[in-house]
Structures are given as C-alpha cells and as structure tokens.
Amino acid sequence: VQLQASGGGLVQAGGSLRLSCAASGSILSIDNMGWYRQAPGKQRELVGAVAGGSSPNYADSVRGRFTISRDVEKRMIYLQMNGLKPEDTGIYYCHAHVITIIDPIAPRDYWGQGTLVTVSS
C-alpha cells in the first residue's frame, strides 16, 4: 500500500493551497483517511480526518479555514487550506487506516511521504 501526497508549496499568509493524497496497492477498503502535520521542533498533530460516510473532524486550530474531502472510489483525500497562517507551516502527511487484501483481518496504518507547506508572513 502506498500513499502519495502532493500539492505543498510556498504561499503568503492569507493564501490558499490544496493538498491531494492518493492511496494505491492491495487495498480491500479504507476505514478512514486524514491529514497530520509536523511543524519544526514539534510533534506530529492531527489536522483532520474523515471516516466512512461521516463528516470530517478538525483540529481547533484549523476549523473554519481547512476543508477535508474524500473520494472513496478513487481512494483519494484532499485538504483545502484557506486563510493560511505562518503557524500552519510544516510537513503535511496523509494517513489511511487500511484493510488490505493480503491480511483483511488486521487493518494497518499507512502514511504518505509528506509534503512541505511553508507560509510566509
């Protein structure tokens, strides 16, 4: 199973970016997908996630500015980031809790390689 994230870059404060993440490989189904981020010198934190047909949940720091959407058929998740702030700077990782074809009774967590988002003031 691989997760491929894209869409990071450099943007000025107040700007927008859209991240995408595609899951591929021996996937039977995906329980939930989400985005995490890690700022320099800090621990990785949840940005937001969506499970099945539920509404996404968000960290307080991004609620109202970021929007997660998911395409179940395409096995993709998106993160629309508006009103970006310098404190949003970090490496953004997509995550998926996957039921694999090879071992369907033992779902596993998979991570993308990370994409860098830099917000200048």
Side-chain angles (χ1 to χ4, degrees), residues 59-100:
D60 290 342
S61 58
V62 306
R63 189 175 293 111
R65 299 187 297 122
F66 291 10
T67 302
I68 287 175
S69 58
R70 180 179 169 184
D71 188 324
V72 175
E73 286 191 11
K74 294 183 179 179
R75 296 172 177 170
M76 294 195 68
I77 188 171
Y78 307 93
L79 179 65
Q80 178 66 43
M81 303 184 291
N82 299 328
L84 282 160
K85 304 175 181 180
E87 52 263 42
D88 294 317
T89 293
I91 300 174
Y92 283 67
Y93 298 91
C94 64
H95 163 266
H97 191 63
V98 178
I99 300 172
T100 65

Side-chain angles (χ1 to χ4, degrees), residues 12-56:
Q12 288 188 334
S16 298
L17 281 174
R18 185 175 188 246
L19 306 184
S20 301
C21 178
S24 62
S26 301
I27 298 172
L28 187 60
S29 65
I30 301 176
D31 284 341
N32 61 73
M33 296 185 80
W35 291 95
Y36 289 71
R37 68 185 180 188
Q38 187 165 18
K42 295 188 177 181
Q43 291 187 336
R44 190 176 298 189
E45 64 175 4
L46 174 69
V47 174
V50 56
S54 303
S55 298

